[in-house]
Structure formats: C-alpha cells, structure tokens
Amino acid sequence: MNEILDAILSSDSTPADFAAIKLPESYRAVTLHKDEEQMFAGLASRDKDPRKSLHLDEVPLPELGPGEALVAVMASSVNYNTVWSSIFEPVSTFGFLERYGRLSPLTKRHDLPYHILGSDLAGVVLRTGAGVNAWKPGDEVVAHCLSVELESPDGHNDTMMDPEQRIWGFETNFGGLAEIALVKTNQLLPKPKHLTWEEAASPGLVNSTAYRQLVSQNGAGMKQGDNVLIWGASGGLGSYATQYALAGGATPICVVSSESKAEICRAMGAEAIIDRSAEGFKFWKDEHTQDPREWKRLGSKIREFTGGEDVDIVFEHPGRETFGASVYVTRKGGTIVTCASTSGYMHQYDNRYLWMSLKRIVGSHFANYREAFEANRLVAKGKIHPTLSKVYSLDETGQAALDVHHNKHQGKVGVLCLAPEEGMGVRDHELRAKHLPAINRFRNI
C-alpha cells in the first residue's frame, strides 16, 4: 500500500509507473459479516448500532474481470444505504450478494461471507480489465454507484431499467469504504480537479440521485419558476436538491428540523424555509392515523412564501411520515417524486387529492450513466458544490454510520481511506479559490 500511496502523492508519476506497481494480495476494508445477520434481532431500528456490526478487516484482493477496474480509494463517504446495510434493514444485503452470485461465474466473486460496503469513492485507477480503452492506470476518478450488465434490451434507453441494475457497494460487493475497490469502468467519471479527495468523494450517490429525481425528464423535469418543496433540505440528499432548484431558476421551499439547519439553507441562498420543529408540525395523530389538519396547515405555510401558489414539485424521501402531506400540498397537475423512505416504506395518502387533482407520483432511483455524468460535470464546473460537513478515518466508519443513522450529521459525512489527511488532491487551485466559501459552507457550521 505504501508504494501505491507514494505514487499517488508524487507529482511526476506516470501511467507506466502505476501499471508497474505490484498490487498487494490483501487490503483493509469495512465489512459486514454474514454470520452476524441476526445480531440485532428484536431491537428497534434506532437501537441498532453500526459500530457493533461494521468491522475493519484485511480482505483478499478480488480477481479483475473484463470491463472492470481496481481503484486505489483515497476517500469515500457514508450514505443511508450504508446504514441500512449495517443494521440489516429492511433485509440483509447478503441476499443481494447471493442472487448476484448466481448470475455468472464472474459474479460468483461477490457472494462471500463478508460484504465490503460503500457506494462512493474518489481515487486513482490501478488496473483495468480486458476491453477497457477509456481509462488507464494513474487516472484520477470518482465512481458513480450504478452497476449494470446491459445484456437485456430494457436497459439501453435508460440504464436504470436494466433488469440486472444494482447499486454498487450495497447490492454488490467490493465497495468504496476500503483501500481498494472493484468497479465496472462505466462507473468511472473524472475527479473534479478543484476538490480534495474527501470533497470529491462526497457528492456521487446523492448528487446523481437528486439530479435524476428533480432535474431529469426521468424524474420531475423541473423548470424555471417552479415551486419545489424539499424535505430535509439541509441533509445529504436535500442539500443537492436545494442547490439544483436555486441553480435552475426554481424556488425551493426548504423543510428542516432545527434553526441550525435553516441557517445552512440560507447560506445556500434559499429564502423560503419551514422549521417543522419550531412550527410543531405533526402529521400523525398516532401510529395509525394521519392528521389532515396538519396537511392543510403546511399548505397554508407554503403559500405564505409563494404568494398564494401551491408547489409544483415535492422532493420526497422521508416516506411514511410525510407522504400524505406531500400528496395534499402539491398543486393540481403537480408531481410528487420519491426516492427512499427513511421514515418507513409503507406510504399512506388520501387518493382523492391525487386522482381528482390529476397529480403524479414518480418513483426515482439513483441515476443512469448520462445523468451521473451530467451531475458530476456540474460539480467539476463549480456550479454545484460538495456538502461535506465532517470527515472520519476508515476505522471510525462505524461511528460515522451511527451519526447518519441518528441524523446527527449535516450534508454528507466523508471517510478517509488511503489519504493520510484531509485537504489533499487539489489540482486546480484557481477554480478552488473562486468557490472556496461554497465548498466550505457545510464545514463552517
């Protein structure tokens, strides 16, 4: 590993130098153990502790297949799928690995008694497999997390429709919370040159997800002038939705849970902010009964910010807790676009407000290759900025996941893998200086 790191840190390393490095037989990685799937049985979700289930292990280097790359991971980040994996909810991810392993002799590599997690990375290509022409050893890259086989016609109009679509590091093995990762080379994108390793690693999953969900025609197709209700607007996903709304000429109505999170939204440029805790919004009377009066109260609050207009788009991801309210407050003909369900998957809403008002519910999941490319391009051009708030070491990943699990974080939480310290990897200092206040927006809270 020292030879790999020395080559990355050197200013004059060539592709030939990287190609000549003898790869190690093993590397450190954050793992789940299959024999611990039931360790949290009977516990409430909140009481399940990722620090107990996540391990830092020495694991064998996987075989490199055609169309793949081994990447030295300088930094990664923690997403909600890392949390879900770590607490074995809603299902154990080892079921994903078993099913993937049955697809082919090559995918059998993924079906192991341990699962290496992580759906983001920034790093350097070490090796590429047969048939790879676009990337070479020494290239500085980030990776999006869409893994596809593309052997079916279904995925060729939109790669997210591939029957064998999976999320790398969640539904596949060999993820980014490690010193080395195995990816398909069509996951690779150029690392934004003005960002550090940890900053470059943080946007990937959430930035691409927000782009498809809000901007793409596969999602809400946001346009100038739209009013957009964004739940959790200062969080890892919502903070990118807020930036896209502002950059695209829409008006974000940012829903947050504290004044400190409201300040983050103001720092991004948002003006319409609802602190649901201060306003006392409770959309459920009890576990089984929603309160439509609270939906109406939310709608009235929104119209105070919009000059009497209802929202064109609701950017949904909390799920069960908010979905009834989301359907209600959307304007006639508007769109509720949903990904994830962090408060519960079983959504309930009053269908009268959907069908009689001609509203649409659109499901959105991650992003296709083109959407991920466009989202990364906007970061590289300094149009959209990282929302990194805190960085942990690889051996502190369990604590990082616990913070995300309990919503103690703002924006995104990063993890240093091979990078020995924060602040490394910047190549374009001029562009960085231009955008430094925005880059550090979430670090200064």
Side-chain angles (χ1 to χ4, degrees), residues 272-291:
I273 300 168
I274 299 173
D275 182 342
R276 58 183 296 191
S277 296
E279 297 283 346
F281 282 109
K282 293 184 178 180
F283 301 118
W284 290 77
K285 296 178 182 178
D286 55 47
E287 185 179 351
H288 306 289
T289 311
Q290 295 192 64
D291 189 347

Side-chain angles (χ1 to χ4, degrees), residues 32 45 48 50 53-54 78-89 117 170 400-406:
L32 290 174
S45 291
K48 298 176 182 180
S53 58
L54 295 179
V78 171
N79 294 288
Y80 272 102
N81 68 12
T82 309
V83 176
W84 299 331
S85 298
S86 71
I87 63 176
F88 304 102
E89 287 190 7
L117 303 179
F170 178 59
L402 182 67
D403 285 358
V404 175
H405 182 29
H406 289 170

Side-chain angles (χ1 to χ4, degrees), residues 40-352:
F40 296 131
L43 293 179
S45 291
R46 185 170 180 81
D47 296 329
K48 298 176 182 180
D49 190 342
R51 295 173 300 181
K52 297 179 179 179
S53 58
L54 295 179
H55 306 273
L56 184 59
D57 291 333
E58 192 80 14
V59 298
L61 190 72
E63 173 193 356
L64 180 63
E68 295 180 340
L70 289 169
V71 179
V73 184
M74 296 299 280
S76 184
S77 74
V78 171
N79 294 288
Y80 272 102
N81 68 12
T82 309
V83 176
W84 299 331
S85 298
S86 71
I87 63 176
F88 304 102
E89 287 190 7
V91 296
S92 168
T93 53
F94 286 98
F96 300 146
L97 304 186
E98 290 167 7
R99 288 191 290 276
Y100 192 30
R102 291 194 289 268
L103 185 64
S104 73
L106 198 61
T107 64
K108 180 65 178 174
R109 295 168 300 166
H110 292 257
D111 184 7
L112 296 169
Y114 58 87
H115 187 181
I116 304 169
L117 303 179
S119 297
D120 283 321
L121 71 73
V124 178
V125 175
L126 295 174
R127 294 286 190 278
T128 57
V132 176
N133 301 303
W135 303 98
K136 62 184 182 300
D139 285 344
E140 296 187 350
V141 296
V142 294
H144 69 76
C145 62
L146 173 60
S147 174
V148 290
E149 305 301 316
L150 290 182
E151 293 186 313
S152 162
D154 296 1
H156 282 265
N157 189 44
D158 176 4
T159 46
M160 283 303 297
M161 301 302 290
D162 185 4
E164 299 297 339
Q165 175 271 318
R166 293 172 175 83
I167 298 299
W168 161 72
F170 178 59
E171 295 166 301
T172 78
N173 220 322
F174 313 121
L177 286 165
E179 293 175 329
I180 295 177
L182 178 71
V183 300
K184 296 178 184 294
T185 53
N186 59 20
Q187 292 177 241
L188 298 178
L189 301 163
K191 173 189 170 290
K193 295 181 183 298
H194 67 297
L195 299 181
T196 66
W197 294 113
E198 62 275 10
E199 291 162 356
S202 68
L205 185 151
V206 286
N207 182 36
S208 299
T209 299
Y211 182 92
R212 180 182 176 107
Q213 189 175 355
L214 191 56
V215 179
S216 171
Q217 292 304 309
N218 289 315
M222 183 191 72
K223 65 183 186 303
Q224 288 183 328
D226 279 347
N227 296 311
V228 183
L229 183 69
I230 302 172
W231 295 101
S234 70
L237 186 60
S239 58
Y240 285 96
T242 300
Q243 290 188 71
Y244 279 117
L246 290 165
T251 299
I253 296 92
C254 298
V255 184
V256 296
S257 59
S258 69
E259 176 56 28
S260 62
K261 294 181 177 181
E263 276 301 314
I264 294 171
C265 294
R266 293 187 190 102
M268 287 189 285
E271 297 178 355
I273 300 168
I274 299 173
D275 182 342
R276 58 183 296 191
S277 296
E279 297 283 346
F281 282 109
K282 293 184 178 180
F283 301 118
W284 290 77
K285 296 178 182 178
D286 55 47
E287 185 179 351
H288 306 289
T289 311
Q290 295 192 64
D291 189 347
R293 293 173 302 178
E294 290 290 87
W295 303 349
K296 295 176 182 178
R297 187 161 74 92
L298 176 64
S300 296
K301 186 68 180 178
I302 291 168
R303 287 190 288 273
E304 290 178 16
F305 290 114
T306 61
E309 297 177 342
D310 293 323
V311 291
D312 301 274
I313 299 167
V314 178
F315 186 89
E316 247 289 346
H317 54 98
R320 184 178 188 273
E321 183 181 354
T322 58
F323 205 81
S326 293
V327 170
Y328 178 83
V329 301
T330 308
R331 72 161 177 83
K332 188 171 185 176
T335 302
I336 305 97
V337 59
T338 176
C339 81
S341 292
T342 51
S343 68
Y345 298 95
M346 300 303 290
H347 299 186
Q348 296 180 24
Y349 61 91
D350 188 328
N351 198 42
R352 292 172 297 174

